[in-house]
Amino acid sequence: NAGVTQTPKFQVLKTGQSMTLQCAQDMNHEYMSWYRQDPGMGLRLIHYSVGAGITDQGEVPNGYNVSRSTTEDFPLRLLSAAPSQTSVYFCASSTSGGPYEQYFGPGTRLTVT
Amino acid sequence: QKEVEQDPGPLSVPEGAIVSLNCTYSNSAFQYFMWYRQYSRKGPELLMYTYSSGNKEDGRFTAQVDKSSKYISLFIRDSQPSDSATYLCAMSSRIQGAQKLVFGQGTRLTINP
């Protein structure tokens, strides 16, 4: 089992550029989530999905889009990158039954200049 | 007021010391209480979880939950330099059919040889 994989590991974007962060899991988890982690802010939920075809907004969704066409994949799209989106992004998947523990990917470090 | 409060530290202790990490919470609906460990430049990984009030032990780690006080703790005995990491508490429940998971801010811990 690879668990949760994310690509790329590092990315530098210019303001206004768009890109997609890839996330895949091989644990057949229904729930998948995207978080961003900033110094002093902890983990903040961007978007999540409870199954293929179903997505919803988290705490900080603005500037990001998601879709879930398969159980395995949950890409995060930055529509028009801004310096405020400089962060470390983590994808996670979780079980549908309690305790809902998250299995995290290795993260993508994004810098927007 | 945040639903989950965690002292961000940083906390620095000598090798062999007993470490106590704590979180408080305000939502009495939380059912599961988790601790994650995050090494530098890595994704968080689940350390242990508990379901009810009381203690749960796993090697040098003990998780303690006091639901009446809305307070959880993680104790690390005989701390080692390899325990140096950021520790995040997390709490989850199922509310109105939807999974809810909230993370604390994380406490950065350094164990000095």
Side-chain angles (χ1 to χ4, degrees):
Chain A
N1 273 4
V4 179
T5 57
Q6 290 183 241
T7 55
K9 285 188 167 51
F10 303 93
Q11 184 70 48
V12 178
L13 289 179
K14 292 189 189 313
T15 298
Q17 287 184 318
S18 62
M19 78 159 296
T20 299
L21 279 62
Q22 301 292 343
C23 174
Q25 55 96 3
D26 62 0
M27 296 174 282
N28 203 33
H29 286 162
E30 291 183 8
Y31 283 72
M32 295 187 75
S33 309
W34 275 102
Y35 295 86
R36 60 178 289 174
Q37 188 175 39
D38 303 290
M41 302 292 286
L43 285 162
R44 292 186 291 170
L45 182 64
I46 303 171
H47 284 286
Y48 67 98
S49 169
V50 301
I54 307 169
T55 63
D56 206 346
Q57 296 180 351
E59 182 186 353
V60 288
N62 292 341
Y64 308 96
N65 257 2
V66 292
S67 60
R68 182 107 177 264
S69 56
T70 66
T71 300
E72 294 77 21
D73 300 298
F74 191 42
L76 178 73
R77 279 181 288 278
L78 278 71
L79 308 172
S80 177
S84 60
Q85 293 179 305
T86 294
S87 186
V88 182
Y89 291 85
F90 289 103
C91 178
S93 69
S94 64
T95 56
S96 55
Y100 316 120
E101 71 267 30
Q102 304 279 299
Y103 295 83
F104 286 88
T108 294
R109 290 185 171 272
L110 176 69
T111 301
V112 183
T113 60
Chain B
Q1 183 193 3
K2 291 183 182 177
E3 278 188 290
V4 178
E5 299 274 4
Q6 181 176 8
D7 187 340
L11 184 62
S12 182
V13 301
E15 182 176 354
I18 296 175
V19 177
S20 171
L21 304 168
N22 310 296
C23 289
T24 59
Y25 64 97
S26 57
N27 189 342
S28 57
F30 287 132
Q31 298 170 302
Y32 300 95
F33 305 89
M34 289 164 270
W35 286 95
Y36 285 80
R37 178 174 61 196
Q38 184 178 20
Y39 290 116
S40 181
R41 297 183 172 265
K42 301 287 187 184
E45 55 179 352
L46 182 67
L47 196 57
M48 55 196 304
Y49 76 88
T50 55
Y51 175 66
S52 58
S53 283
N55 293 354
K56 182 175 180 179
E57 200 171 302
D58 184 0
R60 296 184 294 108
F61 298 87
T62 299
Q64 188 175 79
V65 174
D66 182 345
K67 282 189 169 182
S68 62
S69 301
K70 296 190 176 68
Y71 189 88
I72 71 170
S73 300
L74 178 71
F75 297 97
I76 307 174
R77 290 186 302 281
D78 187 26
S79 55
Q80 303 295 309
S82 59
D83 296 327
S84 297
T86 296
Y87 290 80
L88 301 101
C89 64
M91 306 178 190
S92 66
S93 61
R94 198 167 192 90
I95 296 175
Q96 295 179 332
Q99 182 185 118
K100 181 180 175 78
L101 176 69
V102 182
F103 284 88
Q105 195 176 357
T107 300
R108 192 192 305 177
L109 172 67
T110 301
I111 309 296
N112 301 302

